[in-house]
Amino acid sequence: MQTACTKDELRALLAPVRGRKIVLVPTMGALHEGHASLLRQARELAGTEGCVVASVFLNPVQFDNAGDLATYPQTPEADLQTCRECGVDVVFMPTPDIMYCGDRSITLEETHLSTVLCGAKRPGHFAGVCLVVNKLFNLVQPTDAIFGKNDYQQLAILRRMVRDLDIPITIHGAEIVRDTDGLALSSRNVRLTPEHRAAAPGIRRVLLAAAEAYGKGAAVADVTAGVVDTLSAIPGVKVDYVELVDAENLHAVTDETRPALLAVAAFFGDVRLIDNIELTRNL
Ligand code: PAF
């Protein structure tokens, strides 16, 4: 495994593999088993001839909350070890100064999918994600990139970005990896208090119950209200949003025969957790 800290080092490491399959897994570090699963899927996709690139970059531009950025866990040594164990070929670990020019003045905004769910709550977040992922795509020029469905909206927006900007990269969505008790793995989980960590799997339980109710025909408003009530009853929990939307355009469900998505964001103390479940009517 080789590590690049500058853009020139990255280009030099990738020059010999141009023309082969190059699979990129962008991350912000603090790698956990969910990331490891993405990296292993990348290795499988790339095969023995291809190249797996992981980026580890805590992207300041996508944080709408300075406190969240300041407390985001960073574990560079352990991240390198995880990458090594998962068969990564090249790790790109730039600093913000290397990644961004001080006087940068280009923004990249998706204007439909990012107006709802987390986009409505975190102004500028998805513009920051699009900007950094676009830069990574230009630097790495991968054939494929893998993102987790844990951030379903991010995945949908990045698919839209490659479609609308004709970026010749295949985007793969990977299933959510969960702890044994159902909590979706997230780098932020380590910041939960023991009480909130014990309560957090309740998100998965309430989503499963809601999916069953929706499948049996419960009204959209009743499904979301049930999730809000259950989560709000947990001490110290503040629901940010609970929305049942069309799984493709992420806006309000207008045709209940289409696949839907139930998405949740809730603060457990000051830690914001997200989760989601894909739904269908079984009528
Ligand atoms: O999902 C993440 O970890 C980040 O949003 C990403 C895609 C690495 C961009 O910084």
Side-chain angles (χ1 to χ4, degrees):
M1 187 176 84
Q2 291 172 298
T3 305
C5 293
T6 68
K7 296 172 184 176
D8 283 344
E9 283 168 8
L10 179 69
R11 289 189 192 103
L13 288 179
L14 294 178
V17 297
R18 291 285 168 224
R20 302 196 207 155
K21 203 181 235 320
I22 299 177
V23 185
L24 172 66
V25 179
T27 81
M28 295 205 298
L31 302 186
H32 49 65
E33 186 48 38
H35 296 108
S37 153
L38 299 182
L39 295 171
R40 286 193 289 265
Q41 288 175 55
R43 180 73 272 162
E44 203 171 317
L45 193 61
T48 47
E49 295 298 306
C51 176
V52 175
V53 181
S55 59
V56 175
F57 177 61
L58 184 55
N59 176 32
V61 176
Q62 71 185 75
F63 281 79
D64 55 312
N65 174 326
D68 190 22
L69 174 60
T71 55
Y72 200 88
Q74 286 182 278
T75 56
E77 290 310 318
D79 294 346
L80 285 172
Q81 185 57 24
T82 302
C83 288
R84 209 170 282 119
E85 286 167 11
C86 294
V88 171
D89 297 302
V90 175
V91 182
F92 181 43
M93 272 185 153
T95 60
D97 286 353
I98 284 176
M99 200 61 180
Y100 291 110
C101 297
D103 61 349
R104 68 181 175 81
S105 52
I106 299 287
T107 56
L108 190 54
E109 199 176 351
E110 193 286 328
T111 56
H112 184 63
L113 302 172
S114 49
T115 59
V116 293
L117 307 178
C118 288
K121 300 286 177 178
R122 302 183 64 189
H125 168 65
F126 286 118
V129 171
C130 286
L131 184 65
V132 79
V133 172
N134 203 283
K135 285 165 73 69
L136 290 167
F137 284 176
N138 288 331
L139 290 163
V140 176
Q141 295 175 28
T143 53
D144 301 76
I146 308 185
F147 298 89
K149 283 190 186 175
N150 47 314
D151 197 335
Y152 197 99
Q153 186 173 19
Q154 169 173 279
L155 175 63
I157 290 168
L158 294 174
R159 282 192 199 283
R160 181 66 63 98
M161 181 177 84
V162 299
R163 188 200 74 178
D164 285 4
L165 299 184
D166 299 308
I167 301 174
I169 295 173
T170 305
I171 302 287
H172 304 263
E175 293 308 320
I176 301 176
V177 179
R178 298 180 180 281
D179 223 324
T180 46
D181 57 12
L183 178 63
L185 295 188
S186 160
S187 303
R188 292 185 174 86
N189 290 355
V190 294
R191 294 188 44 236
L192 291 167
T193 62
E195 294 73 24
H196 285 148
R197 175 62 192 79
I203 302 176
R204 174 66 173 163
R205 286 194 296 274
V206 73
L207 288 183
L208 285 170
E212 195 181 339
Y214 184 74
K216 288 181 181 159
V220 169
D222 292 343
V223 172
T224 54
V227 176
V228 171
D229 289 349
T230 307
L231 291 179
S232 306
I234 303 173
V237 171
K238 191 171 155 288
V239 172
D240 201 18
Y241 68 76
V242 174
E243 306 244 12
L244 204 165
V245 294
D246 184 286
E248 203 180 291
N249 62 39
L250 306 186
H251 283 259
V253 171
T254 50
D255 175 355
E256 295 192 0
T257 63
R258 286 168 50 82
L261 181 82
L262 180 57
V264 171
F267 287 94
F268 281 61
D270 64 349
V271 183
R272 187 174 183 274
L273 299 181
I274 56 172
D275 203 346
N276 66 73
I277 191 164
E278 290 166 290
L279 311 174
T280 43
R281 289 279 199 208
N282 305 316
L283 299 176

